[in-house]
C-alpha cells in the first residue's frame, strides 16, 4: 500500500500545493528568528500563574466563562492605562493568539466572494488566514523604503474595493510604523470604495506597538465603527507560549465575532494564566524598555558594520542588503546559522530580520555579522 498524499484527499482546490506556516524551530545556541521575548517570565509571576491555574483546575469539570468577562475587563484596563484612551470591556475581545482574532475577523467580515488587502512585504499570516477562510487576497504596494505610500495604497483600495484592509504597524518584517494620517486616509478610502453594505473593515495589527517610538493608534477608534486594533501578549508581555491575543473596536465588532467564534474557545487555564500575567504588567513592560535599547543598539552597530538597516519600531530589525552576487539573503542566513545564530529569511529579496535578544545573544549575532561582512568583502576584493 502506498502512503496517502495530501493531494489524494478531497482537499479544497485553493489549498492544493500550498505549504503551512513554518518558521524553522532549529536547536541552535542563539535563536533570534521569531520575535519572541528572550526573557523567561519572572519567578513571582510563575508562582502566581501556578496559584491561579490551580484554582481554575478545581473547576475544570465545567466549561470556562464563554465570554471571558474578567479577562476582557483587565485587558480594557491595560489599554486605557497605557494609551490614555478610555476602553471598556464591551470593546474588547480575546482569543487564542491574535492569529485567532484575525481568523475570527475574516470569518465574520471576509469569506468566499470577498477580498482582503495587505501592503507587502508584511505579516505573512494575513494572507494565509485569508486563504484559510476562503477570502480572496490582494497584495498592495509599499514604497522603496518599506513605508506605505498613502496615495498608491488609496489607489489600490479604490481599484479593488476590498472588504477588509490590513495595516500592520509596526510592520513585520520591516519594522516600520504607520502614522495616524496614513491610517485615516486608508480608512476613508476603504469606506468610500464600498458605500453600500456598511463599508469595509480596517484592521490595524499592533502586535509590536509596545516597542514603538510612536503612540498606539487606538485613539482613532472613536467614531470609527469599522476600525479594529489587534493586539497580542506574545511579544511585549513575553508570553508567546500562552496564546493570548485580543482586539479593541466598536462593541458591534465584538458582537460580530461572537457569531463565528467556537463556543468556549478560550480555556479556563488560558484565562487564568493571562489574568496572572496582567497582574505583573509593570514588570513585564520593564523588559520592553530593555529590549528597545537593545533594538536601537542593533540598528546602530549593524550600520557601523556596513549593513543597511530599516528604521525599526519593533523588537526586531530588518537588515541587508545581501546582493545575489554575494549569496543573497539565503546565503547570509546560512552563513549566520553556521556561526550558531538563527535569524529569519522572510523572502524579502536581499534582506533578513533579526529579533532583539539578550545583550549576550545580540553580541553573538553582531560578531557573526562582522565575520560575514568580512568574508563578503574579502570575496569581492579577491
Ligand atoms: C507575532 C505577530 C502576531 C502574534 O500572533 P499571536 O497569534 O498573537 O502569537 C500578530 N501579528 C503580527 C504582525 C506578528 O508579527
Amino acid at each position: 500500500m502506498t502512503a496517502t498524499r495530501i493531494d489524494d484527499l478531497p482537499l479544497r482546490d485553493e489549498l492544493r500545493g500550498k505549504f503551512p506556516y513554518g518558521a524553522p524551530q532549529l536547536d541552535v545556541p542563539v535563536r533570534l528568528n521569531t520575535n519572541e521575548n528572550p526573557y523567561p517570565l519572572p519567578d513571582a509571576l510563575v508562582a502566581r500563574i501556578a496559584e491561579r491555574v490551580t484554582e481554575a483546575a478545581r473547576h475544570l469539570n465545567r466549561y470556562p466563562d464563554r465570554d471571558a468577562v474578567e479577562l476582557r475587563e483587565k485587558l480594557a484596563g491595560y489599554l486605557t492605562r497605557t494609551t490614555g484612551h478610555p476602553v471598556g470591556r464591551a470593546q474588547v475581545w480575546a482569543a487564542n493568539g491574535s492569529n485567532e482574532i484575525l481568523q475570527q475577523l475574516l470569518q465574520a467580515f471576509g469569506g468566499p466572494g470577498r477580498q482582503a488587502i495587505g501592503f507587502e512585504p508584511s505579516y505573512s499570516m494575513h494572507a494565509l488566514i485569508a486563504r484559510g477562510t476562503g477570502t480572496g487576497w490582494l497584495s498592495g504596494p509599499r514604497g522603496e523604503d518599506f513605508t506605505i505610500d498613502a496615495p498608491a495604497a488609496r489607489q489600490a483600495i479604490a481599484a479593488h474595493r476590498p472588504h477588509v484592509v490590513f495595516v500592520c504597524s509596526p510592520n513585520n518584517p520591516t519594522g516600520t510604523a504607520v502614522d495616524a494620517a496614513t491610517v485615516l486616509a486608508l480608512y476613508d478610502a476603504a469606506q468610500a470604495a464600498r458605500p453600500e453594505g456598511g463599508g469595509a473593515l480596517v484592521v490595524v495589527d499592533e502586535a509590536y506597538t509596545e516597542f514603538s517610538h510612536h503612540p498606539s493608534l487606538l485613539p482613532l477608534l472613536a467614531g470609527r465603527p469599522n476600525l479594529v486594533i489587534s493586539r497580542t501578549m506574545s511579544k511585549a508581555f513575553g508570553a508567546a507560549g500562552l496564546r493570548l491575543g485580543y482586539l479593541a473596536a466598536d462593541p458591534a465588532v465584538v458582537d460580530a465575532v461572537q457569531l463565528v467564534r467556537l463556543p468556549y474557545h478560550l480555556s479556563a487555564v488560558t484565562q487564568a494564566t493571562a489574568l496572572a500575567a496582567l497582574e505583573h504588567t509593570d514588570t513585564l513592560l520593564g523588559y520592553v524598555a530593555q529590549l528597545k535599547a537593545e533594538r536601537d543598539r542593533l540598528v546602530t552597530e549593524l550600520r557601523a558594520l556596513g549593513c543597511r538597516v530599516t528604521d525599526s519600531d519593533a523588537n526586531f530589525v530588518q537588515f541587508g542588503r545581501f546582493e545575489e552576487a554575494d549569496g543573497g539573503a539565503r546565503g547570509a542566513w546560512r552563513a549566520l546559522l553556521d556561526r550558531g545564530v538563527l535569524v529569519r529569511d522572510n523572502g524579502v529579496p536581499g534582506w533578513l530580520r533579526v529579533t532583539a535578544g539578550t545583550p549576550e545573544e545580540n553580541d553573538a549575532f553582531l560578531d557573526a555579522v562582522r565575520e560575514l561582512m568580512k568574508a563578503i568583502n574579502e570575496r569581492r576584493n579577491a
Side-chain angles (χ1 to χ4, degrees):
M1 217 180 86
T2 56
T4 306
R5 294 160 308 157
I6 285 184
D7 279 345
D8 299 328
L9 300 171
L11 189 69
R12 283 163 53 194
D13 287 339
E14 62 269 36
L15 298 181
R16 289 183 186 276
K18 296 296 197 297
F19 297 93
Y21 172 88
Q25 293 190 309
L26 302 178
D27 192 14
V28 295
V30 180
R31 267 181 11 193
L32 300 173
N33 70 326
T34 49
N35 298 345
E36 292 153 318
N37 189 315
Y39 297 103
L41 299 181
D43 287 341
L45 171 52
V46 172
R48 184 63 181 136
I49 289 173
E51 247 172 51
R52 288 201 80 135
V53 169
T54 300
E55 181 52 28
R58 291 187 216 289
H59 308 284
L60 285 183
N61 56 314
R62 301 286 178 193
Y63 283 112
D65 175 4
R66 199 173 45 215
D67 297 330
V69 169
E70 186 187 1
L71 177 58
R72 286 162 61 207
E73 183 83 49
K74 291 288 162 31
L75 289 168
Y78 167 70
L79 290 174
T80 302
R81 212 162 50 248
T82 49
T83 67
H85 179 81
V87 178
R89 179 181 80 209
Q91 290 168 273
V92 173
W93 182 246
N96 295 285
S98 53
N99 279 304
E100 188 179 40
I101 289 284
L102 300 175
Q103 176 168 278
Q104 290 178 348
L105 287 169
L106 283 180
Q107 284 176 320
F109 297 96
R114 294 187 162 214
Q115 298 191 306
I117 192 170
F119 302 93
E120 297 183 317
S122 189
Y123 187 43
S124 62
M125 282 309 299
H126 294 161
L128 284 176
I129 295 170
R131 190 170 73 205
T133 57
T135 312
W137 180 253
L138 301 158
S139 180
R142 243 169 223 278
E144 276 287 291
D145 59 355
F146 297 109
T147 61
I148 293 182
D149 172 2
R154 276 164 52 191
Q155 238 172 30
I157 288 171
H160 298 292
R161 307 177 59 242
H163 298 78
V164 179
V165 178
F166 284 104
V167 181
C168 194
S169 182
N171 185 49
N172 180 7
T174 61
T176 42
V178 184
D179 61 22
T182 300
V183 172
L184 291 181
L186 301 192
Y187 185 88
D188 291 344
Q191 308 318 314
R194 303 207 67 85
E196 278 136 42
L201 200 75
V202 176
V203 181
V204 179
D205 185 337
E206 280 200 338
Y208 300 98
T209 190
E210 286 93 342
F211 300 100
S212 182
H213 299 103
H214 302 276
S216 166
L217 297 165
L218 187 121
L220 300 183
L221 289 178
R224 294 187 183 83
N226 287 350
L227 189 64
V228 180
I229 305 286
S230 163
R231 294 283 197 100
T232 180
M233 293 180 76
S234 293
K235 310 287 162 55
F237 280 86
L242 164 61
R243 309 308 302 133
L244 200 289
Y246 56 106
L247 66 74
D250 191 281
V253 172
V254 175
D255 291 344
V257 293
Q258 296 196 30
L259 299 173
V260 297
R261 62 111 162 84
L262 296 174
Y264 316 109
H265 67 296
L266 213 49
S267 87
V269 172
T270 298
Q271 294 187 41
T273 309
L275 282 164
L278 283 164
E279 289 175 15
H280 287 252
T281 304
D282 293 343
T283 319
L284 295 173
L285 294 187
Y287 296 134
V288 169
Q290 252 170 282
L291 289 168
K292 285 169 78 169
E294 281 297 306
R295 180 260 331 265
D296 291 339
R297 179 169 80 94
L298 285 176
V299 171
T300 307
E301 298 209 12
L302 282 169
R303 282 180 180 150
L305 290 175
C307 292
R308 274 174 64 191
V309 182
T310 314
D311 285 335
S312 175
D313 275 282
N315 67 338
F316 56 83
V317 172
Q318 179 177 258
F319 66 104
R321 280 207 40 133
F322 299 103
E323 304 302 335
E324 280 311 308
D326 298 322
R330 201 68 202 160
W333 179 85
R334 187 74 239 177
L336 294 176
L337 186 59
D338 289 343
R339 292 173 172 87
V341 180
L342 180 60
V343 298
R344 189 69 178 276
D345 178 2
N346 290 88
V348 184
W351 297 87
L352 293 174
R353 189 194 73 191
V354 62
T355 307
T358 63
E360 298 71 32
E361 288 172 330
N362 298 334
D363 284 342
F365 160 73
L366 288 166
D367 286 344
V369 174
R370 190 171 297 115
E371 288 173 30
L372 168 63
M373 296 304 277
K374 191 161 159 257
I376 288 176
N377 283 327
E378 279 171 3
R379 240 179 288 134
R380 279 188 188 163
N381 296 333

